[in-house]
Amino acid sequence: MNGASAARQPAANLSDTRRNKLGSAILRGILSLFGPAAACFLVKFIALVYALTDRQAEQRALPYLKHRFPEAKGLRMKRHVWRLFTAQGEALIMALALADGQAKVCERNPEVFTPLRDAPGGLVFLCSHFGAWQAAMHCVNAGNRRVAFVAKPDRNADVDKSRAFNGGETAPMHIIDTAGAFGGLLEAFDVLESGGAVGLMGDRCLEHDAVPVRFFGGTAHFPAAAFFLAARAHAPVVPFFLTRGDSYRELRLEFAPVVRPARPARGGIKFQADVQLYADALERMAMEHPYDCFLFENVWEART
């Protein structure tokens, strides 16, 4: 991967054009007065409206849903769209509930990450648009490390991942803008070299930064940036997912197996085996939580 390819950006986020200040204010009010369960109940009706009327959002959701539910057609597929949109709204409510102290985080398999938490050196966290992903990087205890996140800044404040959980002020987590030099990777490398932790999205490809891997029976494309960065900094990659627990007041943090990428030999497909491990983890989570996977990009689409 070169600097020019890292600096290119994917298609505009769908959330950038989905703003409803009144609806957001109502949901926040219900959350504050009656708790996350009541707010999530209302989300079901809001999501139904979007499922019936927002053709663009539906088209962005269909590639994933058709691979996850290949037998679904017509009204059955429309029901899957509704449930996916509902889960997306509920995930945002859960992130807000966590911010308001109305929800807690429980680690499902802490033994995977605990040995790395207090070990010396940098860490690369690999996030996904999965579950309450807006809150994901705020939920991981990286020890005493400085934490940064490589991302395109959110234009929609309702899904702004740079917000902290103390009244919406800026979080201690530093946002590295992908519009920076080499897509922000140089600054991220400096953080890792100083022993800090860096988070990146594992399911959103930059242009020409796509590695072909197996995913839900087809050839999908996921980025290698996290593994490239980790290999250069001699840091492990820790994929993780944040889903709802047994109630609307619990979020469950689950770590996938840690990946330790090596620098690839010249001429080989870079980091394909490492990216495949991530794709396998994402597919496993999507099988377990099918409506928590918010792949609103056709990762199976041919890329040149």
Side-chain angles (χ1 to χ4, degrees):
M1 181 180 63
N2 57 38
S5 65
R8 294 187 177 97
Q9 299 299 317
N13 294 336
L14 191 63
S15 61
D16 288 347
T17 59
R18 298 302 186 272
R19 302 182 185 183
N20 187 327
K21 292 184 179 180
L22 177 60
S24 297
I26 292 174
L27 283 174
R28 289 173 185 270
I30 292 175
L31 174 64
S32 178
L33 292 173
F34 303 107
C40 288
F41 179 76
L42 180 59
V43 161
K44 298 178 188 296
F45 300 97
I46 298 173
L48 180 60
V49 174
Y50 277 98
L52 293 174
T53 64
D54 195 331
R55 184 64 176 167
Q56 182 186 10
E58 180 181 15
Q59 288 300 313
R60 294 283 289 269
L62 283 178
Y64 162 69
L65 290 175
K66 287 180 177 179
H67 281 83
R68 177 60 181 84
F69 302 102
E71 75 291 345
K73 307 291 181 184
L75 290 178
R76 290 183 63 190
M77 180 57 74
K78 182 68 74 172
R79 182 173 181 269
H80 288 311
V81 172
W82 173 42
R83 294 190 65 179
L84 180 69
F85 290 176
T86 299
Q88 186 184 28
E90 290 179 341
L92 182 55
I93 292 296
M94 291 300 295
L96 294 172
L98 189 66
D100 292 342
Q102 298 189 59
K104 63 179 181 179
V105 177
C106 299
E107 292 186 3
R108 183 175 181 180
N109 53 345
E111 69 280 357
V112 174
F113 176 60
T114 297
L116 295 176
R117 181 172 285 128
D118 298 320
L123 289 174
V124 174
F125 288 108
L126 195 55
C127 310
S128 308
H129 293 87
F130 196 100
W133 65 271
Q134 296 92 344
M137 279 301 295
H138 297 279
C139 296
V140 178
N141 179 3
N144 295 322
R145 292 176 177 85
R146 172 191 176 195
V147 179
F149 190 73
V150 180
K152 179 181 178 181
D154 293 298
R155 293 166 57 190
N156 187 345
D158 291 329
V159 294
D160 188 355
K161 51 191 163 287
S162 68
R163 296 290 184 98
F165 300 136
N166 54 355
E169 298 177 3
T170 303
M173 181 181 68
H174 172 58
I175 297 294
I176 299 176
D177 194 339
T178 55
F182 292 89
L185 294 185
L186 285 181
E187 186 178 350
F189 181 78
D190 289 341
V191 173
L192 291 175
E193 283 286 276
S194 66
V198 172
L200 296 94
M201 300 305 295
D203 57 356
R204 179 65 60 83
C205 280
L206 302 170
E207 190 177 354
H208 305 308
D209 179 35
V211 175
V213 292
R214 300 181 309 277
F215 187 61
F216 277 111
T219 299
H221 303 83
F222 291 108
F227 303 99
F228 168 83
L229 188 64
R232 295 292 179 183
H234 303 287
V237 176
V238 184
F240 70 98
F241 304 90
L242 192 64
T243 62
R244 201 188 84 197
D246 296 329
S247 73
Y248 286 106
R249 293 189 179 274
E250 179 183 286
L251 285 166
R252 186 170 294 160
L253 185 65
E254 179 168 349
F255 297 100
V258 175
V259 182
R260 298 181 182 275
R263 295 188 180 186
R266 290 185 178 181
I269 300 177
K270 295 183 178 180
F271 307 108
Q272 186 174 36
D274 299 319
V275 178
Q276 184 66 65
L277 290 174
Y278 165 72
D280 291 342
L282 180 60
E283 182 172 333
R284 177 181 61 81
M285 290 298 295
M287 290 298 296
E288 186 175 346
H289 306 276
Y291 303 110
D292 277 340
C293 187
F294 308 129
L295 273 177
F296 294 116
E297 177 183 355
N298 189 356
V299 296
W300 295 271
E301 187 175 30
R303 294 171 184 264
T304 58

